[in-house]
């Protein structure tokens, strides 16, 4: 029955589709295609709290979202309605927090005379809920930029250079960089809200061993990050940006010759799913430790780009909603929305 359905949701840009597969019986089925206003889907993420799927469309240069429903027969569907969460931005990574606020890593593409800017941007949950009612999206707020991530001692080495993957915990945002300057971290941890004074003090580079990181995923203990040929891990609690002379502080947890990880997602339990564009498949990786493992093929996926995960079981929903913090925030959000509706 529906009770135990766990879904992988993946973007296939060359097919102009987002498809889904049940973890237990993986066969790809269409979820969103061109008929629903999708052209070139890349980065995506699932908002478990509000049952929404966020997708970056590279052709439309915007982040879209659709509502998700699990039917009684276990099929996953959307309501077919496309909403624009963020426009005029190239996006590499998408993450959603517990109340439904949207965080993206990317580059704003505003109309002249304004200039494009790399950064971490936030569209808060209230704005998303308002957009869902049909109101046009206001621009998101830029949280981190090349400017406020540059230390005065190394002004030409911002900790945000060209951000790719993004992840969240209750207090921090994590991002990876594609290309970097000498002191720029491959992976960086920062406060979700920059301090008004000396924002660079709230930045914590975590690794320096990879020039170009494609994607990251967070578990309670480790940050996993994928680059050409390997997946690496660093402890969430790690201090300092060095991987050590021998790289032992940022161990490889998976290695394969053709491996090109373009997306990763954690199932909240014991598995990280890796979207491997190089070999055309979704692979499973044990998430409990930072030791090396063989990647195990879960389902073939030629042309896959990004991957999300949805667990429709009641226990998963309870687990996600159980923290007092999200309950309080949910109540606050409901109050704000009630105020807006009046």
């Amino acid at each position: 029955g529906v009770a135990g359905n766990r879904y992988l949701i993946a973007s296939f840009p060359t097919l102009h589709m987002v498809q889904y597969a049940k973890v237990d019986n993986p066969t790809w089925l269409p979820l969103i295609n061109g008929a629903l206003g999708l052209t070139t889907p890349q980065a995506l993420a699932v908002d478990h709290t509000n049952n929404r799927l966020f997708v970056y469309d590279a052709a439309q240069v915007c982040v879209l979202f659709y509502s998700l429903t699990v039917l009684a027969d276990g099929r996953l569907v959307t309501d077919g309605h496309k909403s624009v969460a963020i426009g005029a931005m190239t996006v590499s990574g998408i993450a959603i927090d517990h109340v439904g606020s949207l965080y993206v890593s990317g580059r704003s593409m505003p109309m002249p005379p304004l200039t494009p800017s790399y950064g971490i941007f936030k569209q808060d949950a209230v704005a998303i809920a308002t957009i869902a009612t049909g109101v046009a999206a206001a621009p998101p707020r830029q949280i981190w930029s090349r400017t406020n991530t540059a230390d005065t001692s190394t002004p030409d080495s911002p900790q945000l250079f060209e951000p790719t993957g993004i992840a969240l915990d209750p207090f921090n945002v994590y991002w990876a960089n594609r290309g970097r300057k000498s002191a720029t971290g491959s992976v960086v941890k920062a406060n979700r809200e920059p301090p008004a004074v000396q924002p660079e003090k709230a930045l914590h580079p975590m690794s320096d061993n990879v020039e170009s990181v494609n994607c990251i995923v967070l578990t309670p203990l480790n940050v996993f990050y994928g680059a050409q040929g390997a997946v690496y891990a660093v402890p969430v609690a790690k201090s300092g940006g060095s991987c050590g002379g021998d790289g032992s502080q940022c161990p490889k947890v998976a290695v394969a010759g053709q491996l090109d990880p373009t997306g990763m997602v954690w199932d909240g339990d014991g598995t990280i799913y890796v979207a491997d564009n190089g070999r055309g498949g979704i692979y499973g990786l044990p998430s409990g430790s930072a030791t090396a493992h063989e990647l195990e093929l879960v389902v073939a996926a030629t042309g896959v780009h990004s991957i999300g995960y949805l667990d429709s079981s009641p226990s998963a929903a309870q687990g996600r909603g159980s923290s007092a913090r999200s309950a309080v925030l949910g109540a606050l959000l409901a109050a704000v929305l009630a105020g807006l509706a009046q």
Side-chain angles (χ1 to χ4, degrees), residues 255-322:
V255 182
Q258 302 297 314
L259 174 63
D260 185 16
T262 46
M264 295 192 292
V265 70
W266 180 47
D267 69 354
D269 186 16
T271 303
I272 288 168
Y273 293 100
V274 180
D276 179 1
N277 184 268
R279 295 183 294 174
I282 308 294
Y283 290 81
L285 179 68
S287 63
S289 71
T291 51
H293 292 277
E294 288 289 322
L295 288 168
E296 294 195 13
L297 182 66
V298 176
V299 56
T302 303
V304 70
H305 186 282
S306 185
I307 185 169
Y309 178 84
L310 176 67
D311 186 340
S312 67
S313 64
S315 61
Q318 286 164 3
R320 284 189 297 268
S322 63

Side-chain angles (χ1 to χ4, degrees), residues 181-215:
K181 300 295 188 177
S182 57
T184 304
S186 304
V187 175
V188 179
K189 175 164 84 171
N191 295 19
R192 278 211 205 176
E193 286 297 328
V197 179
Q198 291 186 301
E200 71 276 4
K201 296 283 188 270
L203 295 159
H204 307 283
M206 302 183 78
S207 74
D208 63 356
N209 62 333
V210 178
E211 289 305 313
S212 184
V213 180
N214 293 339
C215 53

